[in-house]
């Protein structure tokens, strides 16, 4: 589906008519995984493919049945999520890449998984081509990685949060539930694909929990656009 | 219902072969990521998967036909919606821990 049709569909799904904001309204959207746009699955079905609603074709997939996450309806503000079991689930796309500066957004909740770190996303390749959004279990904080590991300043706990992550070297920031923390996660770009739900490499840090939406823009979004995105996520998920 | 399998290293290859024969289309358990101490080397592996009732019956039949292998496999069922912490709880019951690794 082309981005324009997708935007109209999204607006209709949100019940807001043509005025409803869509992430497509901001230029530079590279990847948009939105559980509310998954079609053809019923509650409890395994997710083999999570299509990319950006129109760029970066669907994330899982060919191995035992490693597929689960589609769950009516989880957060009556919206569906993709649920990762915290044991061995993940999805990936082997070609996605994005350079710094870039801006990620996500709505997620960690409920289990590896006792140290849960990777919401990572690159498929190894350093120095990695960016990651991680839940750090010990400090119950959301964490960015692009060569260095840095936390948000607050404490999250096991609740749904909207997360915006601007990867921009020493001027990076992570915004969790509207609270902004300036961080420096390093300057690495993401290359060689993106993995959702697990660290790059087998048998590592597995995320257990729900992901409702995850997306990425090229560039640093303006404060106004970050606010628009935040408002969209807050409204959609009742945060 | 989700099925959680925790198994000893000795039966990993056999388990993976059976999973493949049942249509898993890939390795069910790769690295051994569990041990009693939480340190390397791994002695056990695990996987979780949603099985249809028909597949569950096939697994039950398979384990019943191979009691020597079944003795090394812990199979439990849980509700992913209401029991998200079940895998870790089951690990504790079995005296196992996920191996803690330094950040890669």
């Amino acid at each position: 589906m082309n981005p324009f049709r997708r935007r109209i569909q999204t607006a209709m799904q949100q019940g807001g008519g043509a005025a409803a904001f869509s992430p497509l309204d901001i230029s530079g959207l590279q990847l948009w995984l939105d559980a509310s746009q998954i079609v053809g699955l019923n509650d409890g079905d395994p997710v083999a493919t999570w299509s990319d609603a950006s129109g760029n074709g970066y669907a994330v997939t899982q060919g191995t049945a035992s490693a597929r996450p689960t589609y769950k309806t009516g989880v957060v503000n009556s919206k569906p999520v993709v649920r990762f079991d915290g044991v061995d689930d993940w999805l990936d796309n082997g070609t996605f890449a994005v350079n710094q500066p870039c801006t990620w957004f996500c709505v997620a909740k960690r409920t289990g998984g590896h006792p140290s770190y849960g990777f919401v996303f990572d690159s498929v390749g190894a350093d120095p081509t990695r960016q990651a959004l991680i839940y750090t279990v010990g400090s119950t904080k959301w964490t960015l990685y692009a060569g260095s590991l840095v936390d948000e300043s607050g404490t999250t706990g096991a609740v749904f949060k909207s997360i915006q992550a601007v990867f921009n070297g020493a001027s990076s920031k992570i915004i969790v539930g509207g609270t902004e923390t300036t961080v420096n996660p390093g300057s690495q770009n993401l290359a060689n694909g993106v993995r959702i739900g697990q660290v790059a490499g087998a048998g590592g840090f597995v995320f257990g929990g729900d992901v409702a939406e995850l997306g990425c823009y090229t560039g640093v979004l303006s404060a106004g656009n970050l606010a628009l995105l935040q408002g969209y996520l807050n409204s959609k998920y009742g945060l | 219902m989700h099925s959680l399998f925790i198994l000893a290293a000795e039966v990993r290859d056999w388990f993976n072969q059976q999973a493949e024969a049942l249509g898993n289309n890939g390795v069910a358990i790769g690295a051994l990521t569990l041990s009693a101490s939480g340190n390397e080397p791994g002695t056990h592996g695990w996987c979780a998967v949603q099985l249809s009732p028909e597949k569950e019956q096939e697994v039950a039949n398979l384990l019943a036909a191979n009691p020597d292998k079944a003795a090394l496999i812990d199979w439990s069922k849980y509700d992913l919606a209401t029991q998200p912490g079940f895998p870790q709880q089951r690990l504790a019951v079995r005296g196992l821990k996920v191996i803690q690794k330094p950040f890669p």
Side-chain angles (χ1 to χ4, degrees), chain A residues 92 179 183:
Chain A
D92 74 10
T179 302
V183 293

Side-chain angles (χ1 to χ4, degrees), chain B:
Chain B
M1 296 291 282
H2 245 57
S3 282
L4 178 69
F5 297 93
I6 301 172
L7 51 84
E10 299 94 294
V11 290
R12 177 179 56 174
D13 290 347
W14 179 84
F15 182 88
N16 282 334
Q17 289 166 8
Q18 304 312 313
E20 191 69 19
L22 290 175
N24 194 48
N25 192 32
V27 174
I29 297 180
L32 298 170
T33 58
L34 311 172
S35 71
S37 65
N39 298 315
E40 300 278 9
T43 59
H44 290 69
W46 64 344
C47 74
V49 61
Q50 186 174 327
L51 298 174
S52 65
E54 294 76 20
K55 290 290 185 190
E56 284 186 0
Q57 189 57 54
E58 288 184 63
V59 172
N61 293 342
L62 195 59
L63 295 179
N66 295 274
D68 56 327
K69 302 289 195 305
L72 300 173
I73 299 173
D74 179 68
W75 177 24
S76 46
K77 301 174 190 175
Y78 68 105
D79 185 341
L80 187 57
T82 59
Q83 301 172 282
F86 180 86
Q88 284 68 33
Q89 294 163 8
R90 190 65 193 166
L91 279 190
V93 169
R94 301 291 300 182
L96 293 167
K97 297 176 182 174
V98 176
I99 294 172
Q100 297 274 340
K101 296 182 177 180
F103 190 90

Side-chain angles (χ1 to χ4, degrees), chain A residues 44 63-66 70 72 83 85-89 111 113-117 119 127 130 134 145 149 199 203 205, chain B residues 2 4 23-28 31 33 46-50 78 80-81 84 87-88 98-104:
Chain A
T64 299
S66 58
T70 302
K72 294 297 295 181
R83 178 162 292 165
D85 65 20
V87 175
D88 57 357
D89 289 348
T111 56
H114 193 279
S116 297
Y117 300 104
F119 277 64
D127 286 317
R130 296 174 61 198
I134 308 157
Y145 178 82
L149 197 61
V199 70
F205 302 109
Chain B
H2 245 57
L4 178 69
N24 194 48
N25 192 32
V27 174
T33 58
W46 64 344
C47 74
V49 61
Q50 186 174 327
Y78 68 105
L80 187 57
Q88 284 68 33
V98 176
I99 294 172
Q100 297 274 340
K101 296 182 177 180
F103 190 90

Side-chain angles (χ1 to χ4, degrees), chain A residues 84-176:
Chain A
F84 294 83
D85 65 20
V87 175
D88 57 357
D89 289 348
W90 53 275
L91 298 161
D92 74 10
N93 176 287
T95 61
F96 181 77
V98 66
N99 292 337
Q100 293 200 35
C102 58
T103 304
W104 290 80
F105 64 97
C106 178
V107 170
K109 177 177 78 170
R110 189 259 183 194
T111 56
H114 193 279
S116 297
Y117 300 104
F119 277 64
V120 172
F121 75 82
D122 193 3
S123 68
V124 175
D127 286 317
T129 60
R130 296 174 61 198
Q131 291 175 6
L133 172 64
I134 308 157
Y135 187 84
T136 301
V137 179
S139 61
T140 66
K141 292 178 179 179
W142 288 100
T143 304
L144 302 184
Y145 178 82
S148 301
L149 197 61
V150 290
D151 285 342
E152 58 158 323
S153 59
T155 300
T156 296
V159 293
F160 277 100
K161 287 287 186 181
S162 68
I163 303 141
Q164 294 164 293
V166 177
F167 286 89
N168 188 24
S171 300
S172 298
K173 55 188 173 184
I174 180 169
I175 306 166
V176 179

